[in-house]
Amino acid sequence: MCGIIGYVGEKNLIKVLINGLKKLEYRGYDSSGVAILSGGKIFRHRAVGKILEMEKTLPRKFFSPVEKEKLKIGLAHTRWATHGRPSEENAHPHIDCGEQFVLVHNGIIENYLELKTKLKKHKFQSETDTEIIVHLVEEIYEKTRNVLESLNTVFKEVKGSYAIVLICVNEPGKIFFARKDSPLVLGIGNNENFVASDIPAMLEYTNKFIFLENGDYGFVTDREVKIYNLKNNIEQVRKEHKINWDPVMVERAGYKHFMLKEIYEQPLVVKENIVSRIFAEEINFKDEIKINDKKLKQIKKIFIIACGTSYHAGLVGKYFIEKFAKIPVEVDIASEFRYRDPLIEKDTLVIFISQSGETADTLASLSLVKEYKITTLGICNVIGSTLYREADSTIYTKCGPEIGVASTKAFTGQLVCLYLFGLYLAKIKSVVDKDEYKNLLTSLYKIPAFMEQILNDTNQIKILAKKYSQKHDFLFLGRGINYPIALEGALKLKEISYIHAEGYPAGEMKHGPIALIDKDMPVVVIATKGSLMEKIFSNLEEAKSRNAKIIALINKGSVTKNIDEKVLLPEVEEQFSPLVNVLPLQLLAYYAADILKRDVDQPRNLAKSVTVE
Ligand code: G6P
């Protein structure tokens, strides 16, 4: 939610800022802006729409800051509107009355109206909560004449979440920053430094990063990094992380969209997660799980907390963990969990799943659980993110950067981690038969090849997408471990094609959705082989009797009566079928959205990383 980049160094300033911003566009894209310091003055440019709109209209000044200035300093922002509609005035950066400060912000200031009344003598130019901060800094600075001290006071006055980056004309070589509950990462270079919301913005220039913690504030110059924390206001030593992501990973590599590239990366993601954790037919999480076996054996209950697609992965995890590790699992949407006074007893493990590791509701739930002193486990795709650092242990999903707003490879990465963790628990608790354990591992090993088989021939899905993309409503049905896949299939279609779709447990269809069915409604049924296949075929027949158009995912040899469109899939172990069954549904959503000329990677109103409540 909103992307920030700041740079100080000798590189081509505007190029670093705009390129960095483009890598953050997945965080929000309704307006953007840039500000540089040149000749002791702030120059700012903002525009509504995507970053390209802002870039196209950049005045010449931005390309040639004052000649003698070797050191270049600036910041930029891409916005996902919360307070104030997308407009040029509301776009960041924001400037104070005396034009001494320029600031960008990601987050929400909850007490901004109260603060605004205190800042009566200031002239506001936007409807945003952000502008309050820059005026507040100005007000405090009048007394302190010290930016760091002013930031420290801001922390005490402002309620809400924020990552802020600020430049002051009186301290021209410094980029100041502060963070609370919104992510901010420092990129460490040679005679240059960066501050950004996420790693991809800086990956072209450095692989060394410092992840700021809550309450951190400070500044970077081209050669210096100074971090303080609100708790004691003394200088902090923060670990530098080396991230081995290749900058090419954040390019489209010839694919039309990031989403398509990421769909195709899934067999590799699954393979990586398996081969790095299975040794001599045993699952080993090495340093990832720091909970000892004795404690794991004592676990009586598991909660899984997540949002969006990650929540759907959690639902699959429930079916699997309960079946094999014999531990009851409750899955919660983070925004519900955090406000519902959950009853958490000791000997509970709480798992948090998040691609970004920065989703506000998931992190708030994590803080809540930590107050209960309950063991926590993260499943996360971003090393160094807040979830990664703050959970007691974290399993890394090994997907590499996911750029498409609609999550695909992170989902399959999460699934495979949950499968491995479920089996690992089952083994430690000695509740799984040796042969069954071995057979399951063997079946899991085979999954990437089956996934490749589907991706090598997507013709049947393209034809379906063409035929049905003009429909207005879809129903997705699944049962058992494939019920969450029906939810995920519907979510993907809604997110990127804007076609209304509902996912439902097939057995529940009679209790409502059946009333919607008529000849215009495509019903996508996950009917691959498994323990509930006959049941789902009965549901399929019920839908067909109401004239629905049936699109069914089936295996070779299944009955095809009543099916209008067959999607033939390779037959795999039922427990792992979600890894395979989700692919045609991701592809159906992708091709439908592409045919409808939707903005696949940046669908309207959505953001990849939801860092506000
Ligand atoms: C947003 C994204 C989804 C994602 C969800 C949870 O809604 O658009 O793709 O599933 O957030 O994000 P997380 O990073 O916590 O998995």
PDB file of all heavy atoms in Angstrom, residues 478-498:
ATOM      1  N   GLY A 478     -16.182 -26.908  -4.904  1.00  0.00           N
ATOM      2  CA  GLY A 478     -15.185 -27.909  -4.550  1.00  0.00           C
ATOM      3  C   GLY A 478     -15.586 -28.550  -3.238  1.00  0.00           C
ATOM      4  O   GLY A 478     -16.480 -28.039  -2.545  1.00  0.00           O
ATOM      5  N   ARG A 479     -14.972 -29.645  -2.911  1.00  0.00           N
ATOM      6  CA  ARG A 479     -15.262 -30.306  -1.625  1.00  0.00           C
ATOM      7  C   ARG A 479     -13.951 -30.697  -0.971  1.00  0.00           C
ATOM      8  O   ARG A 479     -12.938 -30.871  -1.641  1.00  0.00           O
ATOM      9  CB  ARG A 479     -16.085 -31.572  -1.857  1.00  0.00           C
ATOM     10  CG  ARG A 479     -17.528 -31.309  -2.205  1.00  0.00           C
ATOM     11  CD  ARG A 479     -18.312 -32.610  -2.241  1.00  0.00           C
ATOM     12  NE  ARG A 479     -18.923 -32.873  -0.954  1.00  0.00           N
ATOM     13  CZ  ARG A 479     -20.245 -32.974  -0.764  1.00  0.00           C
ATOM     14  NH1 ARG A 479     -21.083 -32.874  -1.771  1.00  0.00           N
ATOM     15  NH2 ARG A 479     -20.717 -33.214   0.443  1.00  0.00           N
ATOM     16  N   GLY A 480     -14.007 -30.881   0.357  1.00  0.00           N
ATOM     17  CA  GLY A 480     -12.833 -31.348   1.081  1.00  0.00           C
ATOM     18  C   GLY A 480     -11.649 -30.430   0.837  1.00  0.00           C
ATOM     19  O   GLY A 480     -11.774 -29.199   0.792  1.00  0.00           O
ATOM     20  N   ILE A 481     -10.502 -31.032   0.619  1.00  0.00           N
ATOM     21  CA  ILE A 481      -9.276 -30.250   0.487  1.00  0.00           C
ATOM     22  C   ILE A 481      -9.288 -29.364  -0.768  1.00  0.00           C
ATOM     23  O   ILE A 481      -8.493 -28.430  -0.895  1.00  0.00           O
ATOM     24  CB  ILE A 481      -8.040 -31.188   0.539  1.00  0.00           C
ATOM     25  CG1 ILE A 481      -6.794 -30.414   0.970  1.00  0.00           C
ATOM     26  CG2 ILE A 481      -7.837 -31.953  -0.785  1.00  0.00           C
ATOM     27  CD1 ILE A 481      -5.711 -31.250   1.594  1.00  0.00           C
ATOM     28  N   ASN A 482     -10.240 -29.606  -1.669  1.00  0.00           N
ATOM     29  CA  ASN A 482     -10.365 -28.746  -2.855  1.00  0.00           C
ATOM     30  C   ASN A 482     -11.429 -27.656  -2.714  1.00  0.00           C
ATOM     31  O   ASN A 482     -11.630 -26.871  -3.638  1.00  0.00           O
ATOM     32  CB  ASN A 482     -10.626 -29.589  -4.100  1.00  0.00           C
ATOM     33  CG  ASN A 482      -9.316 -30.114  -4.659  1.00  0.00           C
ATOM     34  OD1 ASN A 482      -8.433 -29.334  -5.010  1.00  0.00           O
ATOM     35  ND2 ASN A 482      -9.156 -31.431  -4.674  1.00  0.00           N
ATOM     36  N   TYR A 483     -12.093 -27.616  -1.559  1.00  0.00           N
ATOM     37  CA  TYR A 483     -13.035 -26.518  -1.333  1.00  0.00           C
ATOM     38  C   TYR A 483     -12.273 -25.169  -1.329  1.00  0.00           C
ATOM     39  O   TYR A 483     -12.672 -24.221  -2.023  1.00  0.00           O
ATOM     40  CB  TYR A 483     -13.851 -26.780  -0.056  1.00  0.00           C
ATOM     41  CG  TYR A 483     -14.362 -25.544   0.619  1.00  0.00           C
ATOM     42  CD1 TYR A 483     -15.085 -24.581  -0.105  1.00  0.00           C
ATOM     43  CD2 TYR A 483     -14.131 -25.309   1.973  1.00  0.00           C
ATOM     44  CE1 TYR A 483     -15.539 -23.428   0.520  1.00  0.00           C
ATOM     45  CE2 TYR A 483     -14.577 -24.156   2.592  1.00  0.00           C
ATOM     46  CZ  TYR A 483     -15.268 -23.223   1.862  1.00  0.00           C
ATOM     47  OH  TYR A 483     -15.701 -22.080   2.476  1.00  0.00           O
ATOM     48  N   PRO A 484     -11.136 -25.077  -0.591  1.00  0.00           N
ATOM     49  CA  PRO A 484     -10.395 -23.802  -0.642  1.00  0.00           C
ATOM     50  C   PRO A 484      -9.922 -23.439  -2.057  1.00  0.00           C
ATOM     51  O   PRO A 484      -9.736 -22.260  -2.369  1.00  0.00           O
ATOM     52  CB  PRO A 484      -9.178 -24.043   0.267  1.00  0.00           C
ATOM     53  CG  PRO A 484      -9.537 -25.204   1.132  1.00  0.00           C
ATOM     54  CD  PRO A 484     -10.513 -26.039   0.367  1.00  0.00           C
ATOM     55  N   ILE A 485      -9.750 -24.446  -2.905  1.00  0.00           N
ATOM     56  CA  ILE A 485      -9.305 -24.160  -4.284  1.00  0.00           C
ATOM     57  C   ILE A 485     -10.458 -23.529  -5.073  1.00  0.00           C
ATOM     58  O   ILE A 485     -10.245 -22.677  -5.940  1.00  0.00           O
ATOM     59  CB  ILE A 485      -8.760 -25.449  -4.959  1.00  0.00           C
ATOM     60  CG1 ILE A 485      -7.589 -25.993  -4.149  1.00  0.00           C
ATOM     61  CG2 ILE A 485      -8.329 -25.211  -6.415  1.00  0.00           C
ATOM     62  CD1 ILE A 485      -6.450 -24.996  -3.889  1.00  0.00           C
ATOM     63  N   ALA A 486     -11.698 -23.932  -4.740  1.00  0.00           N
ATOM     64  CA  ALA A 486     -12.857 -23.273  -5.367  1.00  0.00           C
ATOM     65  C   ALA A 486     -12.873 -21.797  -4.941  1.00  0.00           C
ATOM     66  O   ALA A 486     -13.108 -20.897  -5.765  1.00  0.00           O
ATOM     67  CB  ALA A 486     -14.141 -23.978  -4.944  1.00  0.00           C
ATOM     68  N   LEU A 487     -12.584 -21.545  -3.656  1.00  0.00           N
ATOM     69  CA  LEU A 487     -12.545 -20.147  -3.181  1.00  0.00           C
ATOM     70  C   LEU A 487     -11.453 -19.369  -3.904  1.00  0.00           C
ATOM     71  O   LEU A 487     -11.645 -18.229  -4.326  1.00  0.00           O
ATOM     72  CB  LEU A 487     -12.254 -20.101  -1.674  1.00  0.00           C
ATOM     73  CG  LEU A 487     -13.291 -20.714  -0.733  1.00  0.00           C
ATOM     74  CD1 LEU A 487     -12.831 -20.567   0.714  1.00  0.00           C
ATOM     75  CD2 LEU A 487     -14.640 -20.044  -0.898  1.00  0.00           C
ATOM     76  N   GLU A 488     -10.314 -20.000  -4.062  1.00  0.00           N
ATOM     77  CA  GLU A 488      -9.175 -19.334  -4.695  1.00  0.00           C
ATOM     78  C   GLU A 488      -9.442 -19.083  -6.183  1.00  0.00           C
ATOM     79  O   GLU A 488      -9.102 -18.020  -6.711  1.00  0.00           O
ATOM     80  CB  GLU A 488      -7.901 -20.169  -4.470  1.00  0.00           C
ATOM     81  CG  GLU A 488      -6.616 -19.621  -5.059  1.00  0.00           C
ATOM     82  CD  GLU A 488      -6.219 -18.229  -4.580  1.00  0.00           C
ATOM     83  OE1 GLU A 488      -6.796 -17.702  -3.628  1.00  0.00           O
ATOM     84  OE2 GLU A 488      -5.319 -17.655  -5.213  1.00  0.00           O
ATOM     85  N   GLY A 489     -10.061 -20.049  -6.848  1.00  0.00           N
ATOM     86  CA  GLY A 489     -10.391 -19.881  -8.268  1.00  0.00           C
ATOM     87  C   GLY A 489     -11.323 -18.690  -8.460  1.00  0.00           C
ATOM     88  O   GLY A 489     -11.151 -17.872  -9.371  1.00  0.00           O
ATOM     89  N   ALA A 490     -12.319 -18.579  -7.575  1.00  0.00           N
ATOM     90  CA  ALA A 490     -13.274 -17.470  -7.677  1.00  0.00           C
ATOM     91  C   ALA A 490     -12.578 -16.140  -7.382  1.00  0.00           C
ATOM     92  O   ALA A 490     -12.804 -15.142  -8.068  1.00  0.00           O
ATOM     93  CB  ALA A 490     -14.424 -17.689  -6.701  1.00  0.00           C
ATOM     94  N   LEU A 491     -11.713 -16.138  -6.375  1.00  0.00           N
ATOM     95  CA  LEU A 491     -11.000 -14.902  -6.012  1.00  0.00           C
ATOM     96  C   LEU A 491     -10.131 -14.416  -7.175  1.00  0.00           C
ATOM     97  O   LEU A 491     -10.127 -13.232  -7.524  1.00  0.00           O
ATOM     98  CB  LEU A 491     -10.143 -15.129  -4.760  1.00  0.00           C
ATOM     99  CG  LEU A 491      -9.306 -13.943  -4.291  1.00  0.00           C
ATOM    100  CD1 LEU A 491     -10.189 -12.770  -3.861  1.00  0.00           C
ATOM    101  CD2 LEU A 491      -8.382 -14.318  -3.143  1.00  0.00           C
ATOM    102  N   LYS A 492      -9.409 -15.350  -7.811  1.00  0.00           N
ATOM    103  CA  LYS A 492      -8.536 -14.961  -8.928  1.00  0.00           C
ATOM    104  C   LYS A 492      -9.366 -14.311 -10.032  1.00  0.00           C
ATOM    105  O   LYS A 492      -8.991 -13.289 -10.580  1.00  0.00           O
ATOM    106  CB  LYS A 492      -7.787 -16.169  -9.522  1.00  0.00           C
ATOM    107  CG  LYS A 492      -6.668 -16.717  -8.693  1.00  0.00           C
ATOM    108  CD  LYS A 492      -5.413 -15.864  -8.673  1.00  0.00           C
ATOM    109  CE  LYS A 492      -5.366 -14.906  -7.555  1.00  0.00           C
ATOM    110  NZ  LYS A 492      -5.032 -15.264  -6.237  1.00  0.00           N
ATOM    111  N   LEU A 493     -10.518 -14.932 -10.359  1.00  0.00           N
ATOM    112  CA  LEU A 493     -11.340 -14.399 -11.449  1.00  0.00           C
ATOM    113  C   LEU A 493     -11.842 -12.987 -11.109  1.00  0.00           C
ATOM    114  O   LEU A 493     -11.767 -12.077 -11.938  1.00  0.00           O
ATOM    115  CB  LEU A 493     -12.514 -15.356 -11.729  1.00  0.00           C
ATOM    116  CG  LEU A 493     -13.273 -15.092 -13.017  1.00  0.00           C
ATOM    117  CD1 LEU A 493     -12.387 -15.353 -14.235  1.00  0.00           C
ATOM    118  CD2 LEU A 493     -14.525 -15.966 -13.113  1.00  0.00           C
ATOM    119  N   LYS A 494     -12.348 -12.826  -9.887  1.00  0.00           N
ATOM    120  CA  LYS A 494     -12.835 -11.496  -9.457  1.00  0.00           C
ATOM    121  C   LYS A 494     -11.723 -10.461  -9.527  1.00  0.00           C
ATOM    122  O   LYS A 494     -11.900  -9.382 -10.063  1.00  0.00           O
ATOM    123  CB  LYS A 494     -13.225 -11.534  -7.964  1.00  0.00           C
ATOM    124  CG  LYS A 494     -14.544 -12.089  -7.643  1.00  0.00           C
ATOM    125  CD  LYS A 494     -14.853 -11.847  -6.170  1.00  0.00           C
ATOM    126  CE  LYS A 494     -14.424 -13.024  -5.352  1.00  0.00           C
ATOM    127  NZ  LYS A 494     -15.355 -13.463  -4.337  1.00  0.00           N
ATOM    128  N   GLU A 495     -10.574 -10.803  -8.944  1.00  0.00           N
ATOM    129  CA  GLU A 495      -9.489  -9.834  -8.784  1.00  0.00           C
ATOM    130  C   GLU A 495      -9.044  -9.229 -10.104  1.00  0.00           C
ATOM    131  O   GLU A 495      -8.838  -8.033 -10.198  1.00  0.00           O
ATOM    132  CB  GLU A 495      -8.254 -10.521  -8.172  1.00  0.00           C
ATOM    133  CG  GLU A 495      -8.275 -10.715  -6.698  1.00  0.00           C
ATOM    134  CD  GLU A 495      -6.990 -11.379  -6.215  1.00  0.00           C
ATOM    135  OE1 GLU A 495      -6.624 -12.455  -6.747  1.00  0.00           O
ATOM    136  OE2 GLU A 495      -6.357 -10.844  -5.323  1.00  0.00           O
ATOM    137  N   ILE A 496      -8.867 -10.080 -11.103  1.00  0.00           N
ATOM    138  CA  ILE A 496      -8.215  -9.526 -12.296  1.00  0.00           C
ATOM    139  C   ILE A 496      -9.128  -9.368 -13.503  1.00  0.00           C
ATOM    140  O   ILE A 496      -8.808  -8.607 -14.407  1.00  0.00           O
ATOM    141  CB  ILE A 496      -6.948 -10.331 -12.685  1.00  0.00           C
ATOM    142  CG1 ILE A 496      -7.281 -11.796 -12.909  1.00  0.00           C
ATOM    143  CG2 ILE A 496      -5.855 -10.179 -11.645  1.00  0.00           C
ATOM    144  CD1 ILE A 496      -6.152 -12.535 -13.593  1.00  0.00           C
ATOM    145  N   SER A 497     -10.281 -10.097 -13.540  1.00  0.00           N
ATOM    146  CA  SER A 497     -11.139  -9.927 -14.720  1.00  0.00           C
ATOM    147  C   SER A 497     -12.350  -9.065 -14.381  1.00  0.00           C
ATOM    148  O   SER A 497     -13.074  -8.629 -15.253  1.00  0.00           O
ATOM    149  CB  SER A 497     -11.609 -11.282 -15.240  1.00  0.00           C
ATOM    150  OG  SER A 497     -12.569 -11.794 -14.347  1.00  0.00           O
ATOM    151  N   TYR A 498     -12.592  -8.850 -13.082  1.00  0.00           N
ATOM    152  CA  TYR A 498     -13.753  -8.115 -12.551  1.00  0.00           C
ATOM    153  C   TYR A 498     -15.073  -8.826 -12.852  1.00  0.00           C
ATOM    154  O   TYR A 498     -16.138  -8.206 -12.820  1.00  0.00           O
ATOM    155  CB  TYR A 498     -13.813  -6.652 -13.057  1.00  0.00           C
ATOM    156  CG  TYR A 498     -12.482  -5.921 -13.066  1.00  0.00           C
ATOM    157  CD1 TYR A 498     -12.193  -4.951 -14.026  1.00  0.00           C
ATOM    158  CD2 TYR A 498     -11.518  -6.191 -12.108  1.00  0.00           C
ATOM    159  CE1 TYR A 498     -10.977  -4.280 -14.038  1.00  0.00           C
ATOM    160  CE2 TYR A 498     -10.295  -5.535 -12.106  1.00  0.00           C
ATOM    161  CZ  TYR A 498     -10.029  -4.591 -13.075  1.00  0.00           C
ATOM    162  OH  TYR A 498      -8.817  -3.942 -13.074  1.00  0.00           O
TER     163      TYR A 498
END
